[in-house]
Amino acid sequence: MIKVNATDHLADANRTAPPERDRQTALQLFNAISTRRSFGLKDLSPEPIDRALVEQMLEAANWAPSHGQTEPWRFVVYSGEARRILGEAFATAFRLLNSDIPSTEAGERNQRERVWQAPVWIALGMHPDPKMPEWEELIAFGCAVHNMQLMASALGLASKWTSGAPAIHPHVAEVVGFAPPTQLYGFLYVGRPAVPWPQGKRRPLAEKVRWVE
Ligand SMILES: Cc1cc2nc3c(=O)[nH]c(=O)nc-3n(C[C@H](O)[C@H](O)[C@H](O)COP(=O)(O)O)c2cc1C
């Protein structure tokens, strides 16, 4: 019989000592998860935020799991004057979506102006690897966006995933630089909160879980 020493695996370059875990870490994690909130665009301050904070959010996203290490998340970050490009793209998408109504001017203006309310807009793209079922790629991508939102929240930032029709329009995808098979699933806007932190609400877990023992 081969005797395995408990620390033998540490000789493997791909492995390391287990991270320190204690109850406090678990409580902090739960607190970060349960207090992560989505903020309405009008509840953000338009003041710029440090690029380092956004980089931390993107790093967190990059640690999402993916089957087969496909890492299908793709992001394009808009800030400063570059948001004008985005506003124009949203406005054009709005016009294309409403070609049956006489005037889209007011709606287009709204799309153009809304980009200035949040200092950072992150285009959320999913680049599926054909070797995996697409649903698995989509879920991995969703985990990445959630990681990003958790980090934003933990940093005291306000964010929301916005996936309305203009935000996922093929014209906007083209402007952002996502060509098929990469798909645009909306944007995460980010900024400092201009209002008190919102309260969360969930229906009871018991409605969604069945234990079989
Ligand atoms: C995939 C996805 C798309 C979303 N799209 C929108 C959206 O287009 N507009 C919106 O107001 N909220 C959107 N949300 C945010 C949800 O409304 C929000 O997560 C929900 O109300 C729960 O609030 P919480 O995030 O504060 O827990 C989206 C969330 C997800 C996960």
Side-chain angles (χ1 to χ4, degrees), residues 8-74:
D8 272 0
H9 66 278
L10 293 180
D12 181 336
N14 290 317
R15 291 179 188 274
T16 177
E20 274 187 35
R21 302 279 194 231
D22 57 23
R23 181 143 176 77
Q24 194 57 26
T25 310
L27 286 174
Q28 282 170 352
L29 176 62
F30 181 74
N31 185 51
I33 292 169
S34 59
T35 60
R36 177 210 52 75
R37 286 284 73 79
S38 298
F39 282 70
L41 194 52
K42 64 174 181 7
D43 295 336
L44 267 66
S45 157
E47 290 308 306
I49 56 173
D50 281 355
R51 183 185 166 121
L53 299 177
V54 182
E55 283 169 353
Q56 241 177 302
M57 290 168 54
L58 295 165
E59 273 294 335
N62 201 33
W63 280 101
S66 60
H67 190 181
Q69 287 73 52
T70 57
E71 304 179 17
W73 41 89
R74 300 289 184 272

Side-chain angles (χ1 to χ4, degrees), residues 66-149:
S66 60
H67 190 181
Q69 287 73 52
T70 57
E71 304 179 17
W73 41 89
R74 300 289 184 272
F75 305 117
V76 184
V77 185
Y78 286 84
S79 63
E81 267 306 302
R83 288 173 294 169
R84 194 177 300 283
I85 302 166
L86 214 50
E88 280 308 321
F90 289 157
T92 302
F94 185 88
R95 181 165 45 74
L96 295 170
L97 284 161
N98 295 285
S99 53
D100 55 333
I101 61 172
S103 171
T104 54
E105 243 173 67
E108 285 182 57
R109 196 177 324 116
N110 179 42
Q111 294 293 330
R112 252 182 225 110
E113 283 170 8
R114 69 197 290 266
V115 294
W116 303 112
Q117 191 61 45
V120 174
W121 289 72
I122 306 175
L124 307 172
M126 197 278 282
H127 180 78
D129 187 317
K131 76 171 183 267
M132 288 299 164
E134 192 165 318
W135 68 269
E136 295 196 25
E137 297 289 80
L138 196 50
I139 287 172
F141 158 79
C143 290
V145 180
H146 188 231
N147 277 4
M148 187 148 68
Q149 284 185 278

Side-chain angles (χ1 to χ4, degrees), residues 34 37 198-204 208:
S34 59
R37 286 284 73 79
Q199 289 274 355
K201 196 165 174 248
R202 289 296 183 268
R203 293 188 299 281
K208 303 152 189 164

